[in-house]
Amino acid sequence: MKVSRPVTTTLLGAALVLGLALTASSAATPPATASAGNGNASNARSALEAVYDYGVCRGTNARCYNDWGNRTDPAREGRVLLYTRTVGPRHAHLGPALPAGLNPELGPGNVAQANLVKWLDEAGIAADWTEDVAQLSSAGRLRPYHTVIFLSTTRDTLDDNAQTALMQYIRGGGGFVGIHNAFGTEYHWKWYEGLLGGTNFYDHGRHQTATVHTESKRDPSTSGLPRTWEFKDEWYNLYPEPSHVQPLLRVDEATMTEGTTGSLGHPGHGKDHLVSWCHYYDGGRAWLTTLGHDVAAWNDAELVGDTHFRQHVMGGIRSTMGITAFCQK
């Protein structure tokens, strides 16, 4: 014989289950995602700007940044490390592989390295460069640098020691700049995928000229750029698509007259084809761009939009160093 429970008992039981569920949900939400402001609207906005993903706090909310004073001391000389090691296909703008050590001699073919170092020097920023993974063997080695730049690195360019060092460096408030094939790097390391904005290189279509739209005029890397400008590149198709980032530049796929479909079949990103963005990640600052394929983007040869590209890259580097404001909307 079925015994009916009193209504009050049933309601109390349901309420207890709901309360336990809410408590568990709250416990699973890390403090970094909480809003620093007041009101429901502020809480919802903060939840969108800072998320706990890839096991770390990431997004456009500065709560994800560890301002521990080791990157923003104005008395310290601004210095960056440029890393261009490739373990696989190598872009022409990098030229021949560099010998081991720090600051090896750059030959005439090492166009991107030589010119980026020159641009930095003209901006009063000291730069070291290397393709020797041993130079990234500890967080102590990276600590003197305000920003680490990965320029067209390829595949598994870091060993275990270097992976740990980069992770610890970023967690201490370090800066990271990823340019072009930095997106074709460390595919099997999910933390690095998150550092890139939750994305990787998948394929690209034809090398062609298209129109770039400047999304954020307030960010230091875009403030002096026109709203629209022409540039020639490979226009990377990415998978997964970037997420929880601040868009800086998009390419207008309607102006890609030779098509958007990549060599492996990716159809393109439609109206949301990002080519540059920024975000806070696991305590550090990260600024990313897929642009920079053409050798002429890095030297004195004429290329449509190359002065805008240079200004954009230098602005991104300076912002990750803490010289200017970072990731402005």
Side-chain angles (χ1 to χ4, degrees):
M1 178 173 132
K2 186 174 181 181
V3 178
S4 299
R5 294 181 180 178
V7 174
T8 54
T9 302
T10 303
L11 291 177
L12 285 172
L16 179 60
V17 171
L18 178 59
L20 289 172
L22 290 174
T23 300
S25 175
S26 299
T29 303
T33 63
S35 171
N38 298 314
N40 293 332
S42 179
N43 289 336
R45 184 166 57 252
S46 178
L48 291 173
E49 294 172 349
V51 297
Y52 203 77
D53 198 7
Y54 289 92
V56 307
C57 181
R58 74 182 185 103
T60 59
N61 191 320
R63 289 176 62 91
C64 292
Y65 181 65
N66 291 333
D67 187 4
W68 293 345
N70 56 344
R71 307 286 165 234
T72 56
D73 182 355
R76 297 180 65 201
E77 178 187 20
R79 180 173 289 274
V80 301
L81 178 65
L82 174 60
Y83 187 62
T84 53
R85 181 173 184 248
T86 55
V87 185
R90 188 173 176 90
H91 275 73
H93 57 243
L94 294 182
L98 300 179
L102 193 66
N103 301 337
E105 182 178 359
L106 297 174
N110 304 125
V111 175
Q113 301 97 314
N115 281 279
L116 183 52
V117 169
K118 176 185 175 183
W119 299 350
L120 290 162
D121 180 66
E122 291 172 351
I125 299 171
D128 292 326
W129 60 91
T130 191
E131 291 185 1
D132 183 357
V133 70
Q135 301 302 318
L136 286 74
S137 61
S138 71
R141 283 198 172 197
L142 295 181
R143 193 175 186 278
Y145 298 106
H146 288 68
T147 285
V148 173
I149 304 168
F150 277 31
L151 169 57
S152 290
T153 47
T154 306
R155 301 297 193 270
D156 294 332
T157 189
L158 301 175
D159 60 17
D160 184 68
N161 287 339
Q163 285 185 342
T164 302
L166 180 64
M167 187 164 58
Q168 295 295 77
Y169 166 77
I170 293 296
R171 287 174 171 174
F176 179 82
V177 170
I179 302 174
H180 202 53
N181 210 55
F183 290 89
T185 298
E186 298 292 335
Y187 279 100
H188 305 292
W189 186 21
K190 298 302 287 185
W191 183 91
Y192 182 81
E193 177 179 282
L195 180 63
L196 297 178
T199 190
N200 286 303
F201 167 74
Y202 184 78
D203 67 11
H204 63 77
R206 290 185 177 274
H207 185 203
Q208 60 186 300
T209 301
T211 300
V212 175
H213 290 264
T214 303
E215 294 292 311
S216 169
K217 292 286 285 182
R218 293 187 60 210
D219 188 79
S221 68
T222 55
S223 60
L225 301 181
R227 280 293 179 186
T228 61
W229 46 287
E230 304 300 304
F231 195 63
K232 189 174 185 179
D233 217 291
E234 290 180 321
W235 310 114
Y236 277 7
N237 293 318
L238 306 171
Y239 189 86
E241 293 190 20
S243 58
H244 305 294
V245 299
Q246 172 60 38
L248 297 173
L249 300 178
R250 300 179 192 267
V251 61
D252 184 352
E253 288 192 354
T255 65
M256 294 168 62
T257 57
E258 297 183 58
T260 62
T261 301
S263 58
L264 297 178
H266 193 299
H269 297 278
K271 294 182 179 180
D272 295 319
H273 195 148
L274 286 181
V275 294
S276 297
W277 56 91
C278 55
H279 67 139
Y280 295 97
Y281 186 79
D282 201 14
R285 304 183 182 107
W287 185 94
L288 298 312
T289 184
T290 63
L291 303 179
H293 169 76
D294 206 303
V295 174
W298 297 100
N299 60 19
D300 295 330
E302 186 175 349
L303 177 74
V304 59
D306 58 359
T307 58
H308 299 321
F309 171 73
R310 172 178 174 173
Q311 178 182 344
H312 184 52
V313 168
M314 289 301 299
I317 294 172
R318 287 168 60 88
S319 72
T320 61
M321 295 176 68
I323 296 174
T324 61
F326 176 72
C327 211
Q328 300 299 290
K329 300 178 182 178

